[in-house]
């Protein structure tokens, strides 16, 4: 009986995450989660490091979302970004940039 609890909790958590993902609304504009990050110096450096095709895809999604937002429209439901299709393309680069910055700050302290 105890072994079933984590499975049920995991399914419940995934269900909640999907519900919240759809509630956020950025997927209705065709954006991915990493497209919505606030662009500070760390994110800007991570964007500089991603492959060109990923950067071009991001720019396309951002321009399309801006256009839809100005027209006060959303994409047809079949074009929404699905929870399962949303990949965190920027996160590995961002983690690397943050780690490098922290190492540099630590180095400068000494």
């Amino acid at each position: 009986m105890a072994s079933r609890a984590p499975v049920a909790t995991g399914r419940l958590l995934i269900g909640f995450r999907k519900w919240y993902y759809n509630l956020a609304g950025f997927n209705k504009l065709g954006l991915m989660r990493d497209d919505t990050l606030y662009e500070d110096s760390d994110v800007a450096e991570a964007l500089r490091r991603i492959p060109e095709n990923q950067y071009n895809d991001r720019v396309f999604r951002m321009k399309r979302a801006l256009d839809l937002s100005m027209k006060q429209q959303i994409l047809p439901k079949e074009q929404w970004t699905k929870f399962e299709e949303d990949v965190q393309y920027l996160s590995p680069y961002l983690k690397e940039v943050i780690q490098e910055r922290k190492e540099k700050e630590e180095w400068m302290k000494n």
Side-chain angles (χ1 to χ4, degrees):
M1 194 84 158
S3 65
R4 296 181 121 190
V7 174
T9 304
R11 274 190 250 139
L12 180 64
L13 184 60
I14 290 174
F16 177 76
R17 290 176 68 191
K18 286 181 181 181
W19 172 79
Y20 186 76
Y21 182 85
N22 287 321
L23 184 68
F26 60 84
N27 65 321
K28 297 174 184 172
L29 298 172
L31 295 173
M32 293 183 160
R33 195 174 348 194
D34 283 352
D35 295 336
T36 63
L37 293 175
Y38 176 74
E39 199 166 324
D40 59 3
S41 60
D42 291 339
V43 173
E45 177 61 24
L47 285 171
R48 194 182 65 73
R49 295 181 183 192
I50 63 173
E52 187 176 359
N53 64 332
Q54 286 183 340
Y55 182 77
N56 290 339
D57 291 346
R58 174 188 164 91
V59 169
F60 171 76
R61 288 190 303 269
M62 299 289 272
K63 285 183 177 183
R64 179 178 58 185
L66 182 61
D67 183 52
L68 288 167
S69 180
M70 295 204 37
K71 293 177 182 176
Q72 296 183 352
Q73 297 176 347
I74 59 173
L75 290 171
K77 191 161 185 158
E78 59 272 1
Q79 292 182 11
W80 291 3
T81 306
K82 293 166 188 58
F83 178 80
E84 296 80 14
E85 296 171 355
D86 192 343
V87 293
Q88 294 184 355
Y89 65 93
L90 192 60
S91 296
Y93 298 97
L94 186 58
K95 287 177 187 174
E96 184 179 293
V97 168
I98 291 171
Q99 182 181 3
E100 288 174 5
R101 179 179 48 81
K102 287 181 179 178
E103 286 177 4
K104 186 176 180 180
E105 287 172 357
E106 189 63 36
W107 181 262
M108 298 303 273
K109 282 183 184 178
N110 298 329

